Amino acid sequence: KEEHYSAEAQFQLGEMYYAGQGVKRSSAKTVKWYQRAAALGHVHAQYSLGFLFEFGAQDFKPNLGAAAKFYYLAAGQGYGTAINALSRVSKRRNIGNRIILSLTRNWKG
């Protein structure tokens, strides 16, 4: 449970830096805290990193490869929004359905 709370707290710090809630907005600090939470398996942090890497933010440039990676992690936990986002990024990167097929095989067990 301690890891869960720690991941959630780190995700919330990322949210604060993303929105500028009580702190100065900072893409670098947003990514830092999201990455820490994502490393602990926090699905919303994984999805949020995918989103930031897909669209970019402030001084943060898009990176579709990184977006696909983080959407893949969140999708692997069954997060439906990430599954749709992964499909969208996969099409934009011209990598087709390889990632989607891989996830489908893993979910079927």
Side-chain angles (χ1 to χ4, degrees), residues 23 34 67 81-82 94 103:
V23 294
Y34 281 173
T81 305
N94 295 318
L103 282 172

mmCIF file of all heavy atoms in Angstrom, residues 23 34 67 81-82 94 103:
data_model
loop_
_atom_site.group_PDB
_atom_site.id
_atom_site.type_symbol
_atom_site.label_atom_id
_atom_site.label_comp_id
_atom_site.label_asym_id
_atom_site.label_seq_id
_atom_site.Cartn_x
_atom_site.Cartn_y
_atom_site.Cartn_z
ATOM 1 N N VAL A 23 2.050 26.245 -7.522
ATOM 2 C CA VAL A 23 3.447 26.233 -7.973
ATOM 3 C C VAL A 23 3.489 26.815 -9.371
ATOM 4 O O VAL A 23 2.468 26.903 -10.054
ATOM 5 C CB VAL A 23 4.036 24.799 -7.991
ATOM 6 C CG1 VAL A 23 4.140 24.225 -6.594
ATOM 7 C CG2 VAL A 23 3.220 23.891 -8.891
ATOM 8 N N TYR A 34 5.455 12.674 -12.983
ATOM 9 C CA TYR A 34 4.688 11.639 -13.684
ATOM 10 C C TYR A 34 5.548 10.399 -13.908
ATOM 11 O O TYR A 34 5.077 9.275 -13.741
ATOM 12 C CB TYR A 34 4.206 12.146 -15.041
ATOM 13 C CG TYR A 34 2.993 13.055 -15.041
ATOM 14 C CD1 TYR A 34 2.599 13.673 -16.227
ATOM 15 C CD2 TYR A 34 2.237 13.313 -13.905
ATOM 16 C CE1 TYR A 34 1.491 14.502 -16.283
ATOM 17 C CE2 TYR A 34 1.148 14.153 -13.956
ATOM 18 C CZ TYR A 34 0.773 14.743 -15.147
ATOM 19 O OH TYR A 34 -0.331 15.563 -15.191
ATOM 20 N N ALA A 67 5.383 8.601 -26.582
ATOM 21 C CA ALA A 67 3.942 8.572 -26.329
ATOM 22 C C ALA A 67 3.423 7.139 -26.438
ATOM 23 O O ALA A 67 2.677 6.672 -25.572
ATOM 24 C CB ALA A 67 3.206 9.482 -27.312
ATOM 25 N N THR A 81 -9.014 4.368 -22.337
ATOM 26 C CA THR A 81 -8.630 5.605 -23.009
ATOM 27 C C THR A 81 -7.223 5.476 -23.586
ATOM 28 O O THR A 81 -6.934 5.985 -24.674
ATOM 29 C CB THR A 81 -8.714 6.792 -22.028
ATOM 30 O OG1 THR A 81 -10.038 6.829 -21.476
ATOM 31 C CG2 THR A 81 -8.430 8.108 -22.717
ATOM 32 N N ALA A 82 -6.342 4.790 -22.872
ATOM 33 C CA ALA A 82 -4.974 4.593 -23.357
ATOM 34 C C ALA A 82 -4.952 3.660 -24.556
ATOM 35 O O ALA A 82 -4.132 3.828 -25.462
ATOM 36 C CB ALA A 82 -4.096 4.038 -22.239
ATOM 37 N N ASN A 94 2.829 5.126 -38.275
ATOM 38 C CA ASN A 94 2.897 4.105 -39.323
ATOM 39 C C ASN A 94 3.454 2.784 -38.832
ATOM 40 O O ASN A 94 4.195 2.111 -39.527
ATOM 41 C CB ASN A 94 3.721 4.593 -40.528
ATOM 42 C CG ASN A 94 3.042 5.756 -41.213
ATOM 43 O OD1 ASN A 94 1.834 5.756 -41.388
ATOM 44 N ND2 ASN A 94 3.819 6.751 -41.585
ATOM 45 N N LEU A 103 -0.765 -6.456 -27.482
ATOM 46 C CA LEU A 103 -1.571 -6.281 -26.268
ATOM 47 C C LEU A 103 -2.719 -7.278 -26.236
ATOM 48 O O LEU A 103 -3.007 -7.861 -25.192
ATOM 49 C CB LEU A 103 -2.144 -4.863 -26.217
ATOM 50 C CG LEU A 103 -1.188 -3.761 -25.776
ATOM 51 C CD1 LEU A 103 -1.833 -2.422 -25.975
ATOM 52 C CD2 LEU A 103 -0.797 -3.964 -24.337
#
